[in-house]
Amino acid sequence: MLKEYKKKRNFRNTPEPSGRKQRAGKQLRFVVQRHDATRLHYDFRLELDGVLKSWAVPKGPSMNSADKRLAVHVEDHPVDYIDFAGIIPEGNYGAGVVQVWDHGYYIPVNAEIEPITEKEALKWLKNGELKFVIKGSKLSGEFVFVRLKRDEKNWLLIKHNDEFAVKTKYDAEKLIKGKSKKEIFEKGAGNLAVWNSDRPAKSAAKKSPVRKTAKAATKKPAPRKAATKTAVKKTAKPVKKAVAKSTRKTATKRVYAGKKTR
Ligand code: MN
């Protein structure tokens, strides 16, 4: 599955990960990378089936449900790519600056917005339509990728008109913090340090206080790292419940379980 990805790149000359197929953690992740290459575009990647299913979105994603953003299906990327940010040197495939524009979790869902398994999601993808509920810093709620014509690479990325959708003009470019190339190069890879101990885990810990282990209880204050780890484990359980119950609300609720505001 990563054959095409590897064929296009010489890993001696690019800082991009060579990567391999990887099993997903308890929650599926997504990333949107702003890629200032020959043509500026946003790479939208969903962790699925051990790789990152990827689309290049020239205009970037939109939170306005009236927008239909062209999304060109591109080769699968290794999961390691999810926190890649940096400069791909001239002469290499995709040469230019890559920065993380948004990241977070997502749940693949069916037509009724009920959570589905990765296997089912692959089937939907193959049939040219994949709905999902997302929780990022910029993107949230229900989205869909719809293929325009069978066997073609052109898809549309559309935001569903849910409570997170906006009515105003949405421009991804206006939402990036100004970073110089040098800064991205130096700090880029560290981008996702924030992401690893991300909000869902933090707030989940707040909501469902984790049982203190003997060790943690003796330390004051409880080490943040340990709390986050436990919280991640805790949040994992509801996934199965959500799948079993699977009401329209469940998927959205579950993604947002951690945080009310965005
Ligand atoms: Mn790209």
Side-chain angles (χ1 to χ4, degrees):
M1 282 169 111
L2 293 171
K3 224 186 238 174
E4 197 185 337
Y5 173 86
K6 289 184 179 175
K7 213 170 79 186
K8 286 180 171 174
R9 293 167 175 82
N10 180 346
F11 296 105
R12 279 190 206 152
N13 298 330
T14 177
E16 297 165 288
S18 58
R20 57 196 157 81
K21 228 180 138 165
Q22 255 178 48
R23 276 192 61 190
K26 305 278 179 167
Q27 295 190 65
L28 294 170
R29 296 169 294 167
F30 84 92
V31 68
V32 178
Q33 281 148 329
R34 180 182 185 270
H35 189 177
D36 195 1
T38 314
R39 283 205 186 97
L40 173 74
H41 61 274
Y42 286 72
D43 290 299
F44 201 118
R45 311 187 196 279
L46 298 174
E47 184 181 20
L48 190 66
D49 194 33
V51 294
L52 298 175
K53 297 291 173 190
S54 301
W55 289 261
V57 185
K59 281 188 165 179
S62 174
M63 284 294 289
N64 187 324
S65 60
D67 291 333
K68 292 178 172 63
R69 294 286 160 92
L70 176 69
V72 183
H73 200 33
V74 297
E75 77 271 18
D76 292 345
H77 278 51
V79 169
D80 285 350
Y81 212 96
I82 209 152
D83 57 2
F84 175 73
I87 297 175
I88 303 169
E90 287 299 322
N92 288 279
Y93 179 75
V97 181
V98 177
Q99 61 189 112
V100 174
W101 181 81
D102 198 14
H103 58 225
Y105 302 106
Y106 85 97
I107 294 180
V109 295
N110 63 16
E112 282 74 47
I113 320 295
E114 299 162 348
I116 55 174
T117 63
E118 282 188 66
K119 213 174 160 192
E120 287 167 326
L122 278 174
K123 241 188 250 169
W124 279 89
L125 196 64
K126 211 179 152 199
N127 291 330
E129 187 181 344
L130 181 63
K131 291 193 161 104
F132 51 97
V133 179
I134 220 167
K135 188 195 186 312
S137 314
K138 297 183 176 77
L139 301 178
S140 39
E142 302 165 25
F143 280 85
V144 64
F145 273 117
V146 196
R147 189 166 56 208
L148 284 171
K149 275 185 192 162
R150 196 154 241 301
D151 302 322
E152 280 194 14
K153 291 195 173 268
N154 292 341
W155 295 57
L156 292 177
L157 172 64
I158 305 166
K159 171 86 191 87
H160 282 173
N161 193 13
D162 58 16
E163 73 249 55
F164 301 101
V166 301
K167 298 273 179 236
T168 46
K169 193 171 179 255
Y170 194 93
D171 183 358
E173 282 292 290
K174 294 207 168 131
L175 299 175
I176 30 165
K177 289 166 208 148
K179 268 189 185 175
S180 69
K181 278 192 184 189
K182 194 166 174 268
E183 248 184 295
I184 293 162
F185 185 67
E186 283 167 357
K187 296 178 186 168
N191 253 355
L192 289 202
V194 187
W195 143 248
N196 281 329
S197 56
D198 211 356
R199 268 174 256 112
K202 233 194 273 170
S203 34
K206 236 187 262 166
K207 265 199 168 176
S208 53
V210 278
R211 219 184 302 138
K212 277 179 192 163
T213 59
K215 252 189 196 170
T218 54
K219 278 186 189 171
K220 275 181 201 173
R224 229 188 93 188
K225 231 187 178 180
T228 311
K229 262 190 192 168
T230 327
V232 169
K233 268 187 195 161
K234 283 264 161 177
T235 47
K237 274 196 179 162
V239 179
K240 272 183 192 161
K241 264 189 204 163
V243 174
K245 269 198 174 177
S246 63
T247 60
R248 186 189 167 91
K249 284 268 163 68
T250 323
T252 317
K253 260 195 188 162
R254 225 197 56 70
V255 178
Y256 293 92
K259 209 191 179 194
K260 253 263 132 84
T261 56
R262 45 181 291 267

